[in-house]
Amino acid sequence: MFTGIIETIGTVSEVKTIGGDVRLTVRAPKLDWTRVRLGDSIATNGICLTVIEKLADGFRADVSRETLSLTTLGNWKSGTQVNLEQALTPESRLGGHIVSGHVDGIGEVISRHGDARSERLQIRAPDSLAKYIAHKGSITVDGTSLTVNAVNGAVFDLNIVPHTLKETVIQHYHVGTQVNLEVDVIARYLERLLMGDKAAQPEKPGITPEFLAQNGFYK
């Protein structure tokens, strides 16, 4: 578990393809790596990665094909900057909100403009995530815990204060930037709880072109 409070910005130094998936190397000299152990979890742009090798100034992690397909990691290359946060400990302060490091979808920055000393961002989320995004609720963007200032359908607004802008990769966002999104885990569990006994029933497949073709409606 994480808080969404970024500790430092790291830099991807290598993305190596091995057996169909990827081994990632990230370096961040400002982080105290003496506290990191093999098997520890590190949120990297909001993606929970497991340390398989410690370096003097970073770590290596294996990345599955599923993670590559569901996050922005598939587009990373040497030089990509990423937000880093180590996992919570019992002594940690929960400064942001409860973050799992399991990305729910990829959003896109559609607007950015200055507002006094802050920056205003608009991000379009996948339609499937819109129901979990609430005005003044919490959302994780590339691992950063943020408050939703406004929401209109699948588009939500953020106000980024100077400190957050300086200490995270949000400083590099522009129109078209793709970002990892994780919705509030409480909303996820609440939805499941409200299903009641229906939660135990398998989901029925929806009507798709493939379904219609398979059942002889058209060729």
Side-chain angles (χ1 to χ4, degrees):
M1 303 296 293
F2 307 91
T3 68
I5 303 300
I6 304 304
E7 294 183 84
T8 190
I9 295 176
T11 302
V12 175
S13 63
E14 185 180 34
V15 181
K16 185 176 182 181
T17 301
I18 302 178
D21 53 33
V22 162
R23 179 161 296 172
L24 184 75
T25 303
V26 178
R27 298 184 183 275
K30 291 183 179 180
L31 201 65
D32 181 6
W33 292 101
T34 62
R35 298 184 300 159
V36 177
R37 300 180 180 179
L38 291 181
D40 280 1
S41 297
I42 297 181
T44 309
N45 263 15
I47 307 166
C48 179
L49 297 179
T50 301
V51 176
I52 64 161
E53 182 180 349
K54 282 183 58 176
L55 307 173
D57 61 350
F59 72 102
R60 289 192 174 96
D62 285 332
V63 183
S64 69
R65 293 175 64 182
E66 180 173 3
T67 299
L68 290 170
S69 67
L70 296 178
T71 71
T72 62
L73 200 154
N75 298 323
W76 296 0
K77 56 187 178 181
S78 178
T80 297
Q81 292 192 305
V82 291
N83 292 323
L84 297 178
E85 181 193 353
Q86 296 178 86
L88 277 168
T89 66
E91 295 81 20
S92 300
R93 291 182 177 179
L94 189 60
H97 71 283
I98 298 173
V99 176
S100 68
H102 302 154
V103 174
D104 292 302
I106 296 175
E108 181 180 350
V109 177
I110 61 173
S111 174
R112 174 176 176 170
H113 63 86
D115 184 5
R117 293 184 302 116
S118 297
E119 289 284 319
R120 288 275 184 170
L121 298 179
Q122 277 194 327
I123 295 178
R124 180 183 289 113
D127 289 349
S128 59
L129 298 184
K131 60 185 174 182
Y132 303 111
I133 303 171
H135 180 225
K136 297 303 178 183
S138 295
I139 191 164
T140 307
V141 180
D142 277 341
T144 307
S145 173
L146 298 169
T147 300
V148 176
N149 287 93
V151 60
N152 182 12
V155 175
F156 62 94
D157 291 19
L158 301 169
N159 181 79
I160 311 299
V161 298
H163 177 79
T164 302
L165 199 65
K166 177 183 176 183
E167 300 297 328
T168 71
V169 299
I170 296 175
Q171 61 188 276
H172 302 302
Y173 288 0
H174 54 80
V175 173
T177 296
Q178 292 190 316
V179 295
N180 294 318
L181 300 178
E182 181 186 330
V183 299
D184 191 345
V185 67
I186 295 175
R188 283 284 193 191
Y189 282 115
L190 182 60
E191 178 191 38
R192 190 74 174 169
L193 183 63
L194 290 175
M195 291 176 67
D197 293 339
K198 292 182 179 179
Q201 300 174 9
E203 293 185 9
K204 296 180 180 179
I207 298 177
T208 63
E210 292 78 12
F211 173 85
L212 294 174
Q214 290 171 4
N215 288 273
F217 287 93
Y218 69 86
K219 296 183 180 179

